[in-house]
Amino acid sequence: MIHLKTAEEIELLRQSSLLVGKTLAAVARVIGEGVSTIALDKVAEQFIRDNGGVPAFKGYRGFPGSLCISVNSQVVHGIPGKYELKSGDIISVDCGVKMNGYYGDSAFTFPVGDVKPEILDLLRVTKESLYKGIEKAVAGNRMGDVSEAIQSHAEKHGYGVVRELVGHGVGKNLHEEPEVPNYGRRGSGPKLAAGLVIAIEPMINMGTKSVKQHSDGWTITTADGKPSAHYEHTIAVGTNKADILSSFEEVEQVLKERLIVI
Ligand code: MG
Ligand code: MG
């Protein structure tokens, strides 16, 4: 069942989502060569708890981390560990927070050191495709309008759009109905209504759209070993435009300060 949120609930979802954005910014400050992904996870967990939240991913179906950290050909659900970042890597950081009973969910892919221009293009286009989808998250449209906008923008650049993993409703649960696919047909799928809160999260591969499951039971990687990017916002469908509840503002401020250009 799809549950539309009240204005009060949307404000609580915004608080949780904004804490996710601030957490991603705290992580962005310390991303760099030689830094392990488990060190980033510790920064995030501490930051979330210091700010009154609970890391939503920790313990979710047994997931060990507070963040999903997916490097290079890892698409999503990477487990933080001993791996130390090196120049040329890209790292997708996905973060969820629960606070006051409501969740927030957002993700950002960062370059580490000198990243090849064609990989930076993948990052840029994936983020653009997220915003193309958000533009369509307006009451009266259908989910397929959001999905198609994401898919067509990514495929226009020759990228593969992951099919197996999708966005989702967000509320008192981290994952609620409806599903938010990153591929689809315009005019298809459930009708969008104001108050519907969803996480839109394109996972876009430089090569094939095919993915495989790693033997750790969590990590999803591209089938061809080429890089993959992931950006996500939690948004509320609005009458005239979507209300983006999470924010990349702090993350982008940190990138600017650190002279990191995507
Ligand atoms: Mg997420
Ligand atoms: Mg999500």
Side-chain angles (χ1 to χ4, degrees):
M1 215 191 77
I2 296 176
H3 170 57
L4 300 178
K5 273 70 179 182
T6 64
E8 290 76 17
E9 288 183 294
I10 289 175
E11 288 317 306
L12 290 167
L13 287 156
R14 190 191 312 279
Q15 293 311 315
S16 300
S17 299
L18 289 176
L19 178 52
V20 174
K22 290 189 170 74
T23 306
L24 290 174
V27 171
R29 278 187 202 287
V30 291
I31 284 176
E33 291 171 54
V35 177
S36 68
T37 57
I38 191 74
L40 299 176
D41 192 74
K42 291 204 170 96
V43 166
E45 178 169 8
Q46 193 63 50
F47 189 88
I48 292 167
R49 294 192 191 281
D50 286 350
N51 286 277
V54 174
F57 299 168
K58 196 154 187 140
Y60 183 86
R61 295 183 183 163
F63 189 79
S66 291
L67 299 173
C68 292
I69 300 185
S70 308
V71 180
N72 296 332
S73 64
Q74 298 178 347
V75 180
V76 286
H77 303 166
I79 300 173
K82 284 183 290 192
Y83 179 79
E84 292 180 359
L85 297 170
K86 55 185 195 323
S87 181
D89 284 346
I90 56 167
I91 172 177
S92 298
V93 181
D94 192 350
C95 181
V97 159
K98 186 185 189 187
M99 194 165 59
N100 301 316
Y102 287 86
Y103 285 88
D105 191 4
S106 181
F108 199 97
T109 303
F110 300 91
V112 182
D114 291 321
V115 170
K116 286 184 193 156
E118 63 262 36
I119 300 179
L120 292 177
D121 287 343
L122 173 70
L123 269 48
R124 184 178 47 77
V125 170
T126 304
K127 182 142 70 82
E128 284 169 4
S129 73
L130 166 60
Y131 286 103
K132 297 275 183 196
I134 291 172
E135 270 175 36
K136 300 290 181 190
V138 177
N141 277 357
R142 296 206 175 251
M143 192 62 81
D145 298 323
V146 173
S147 304
E148 190 273 343
I150 294 168
Q151 180 183 13
S152 62
H153 188 67
E155 289 184 347
K156 196 166 75 186
H157 291 83
Y159 299 140
V161 177
V162 175
R163 302 294 202 267
E164 289 84 348
L165 301 130
V166 295
H168 49 90
V170 184
K172 287 183 180 170
N173 301 289
L174 178 59
H175 297 121
E176 298 186 350
E177 285 180 45
E179 291 196 338
V180 184
N182 298 303
Y183 63 97
R185 278 181 303 110
R186 216 176 288 174
S188 71
K191 205 166 199 175
L192 304 180
L196 176 65
V197 174
I198 50 175
I200 303 180
E201 49 178 317
M203 289 151 257
I204 307 297
N205 299 345
M206 184 161 247
T208 177
K209 64 180 187 292
S210 302
V211 296
K212 55 185 185 187
Q213 168 91 62
H214 189 274
S215 58
D216 64 14
W218 280 105
T219 315
I220 305 292
T221 62
T222 58
D224 60 8
K226 290 185 179 172
S228 181
H230 180 215
Y231 291 84
E232 175 180 27
H233 270 314
T234 297
I235 67 111
V237 172
T239 316
N240 299 309
K241 71 194 274 273
D243 183 358
I244 304 177
L245 304 179
S246 49
S247 174
F248 291 155
E249 211 173 297
E250 280 102 343
V251 167
E252 283 170 347
Q253 184 59 35
V254 171
L255 294 180
K256 209 165 133 189
E257 285 164 22
R258 298 190 63 196
L259 307 174
I260 296 168
V261 180
I262 300 177

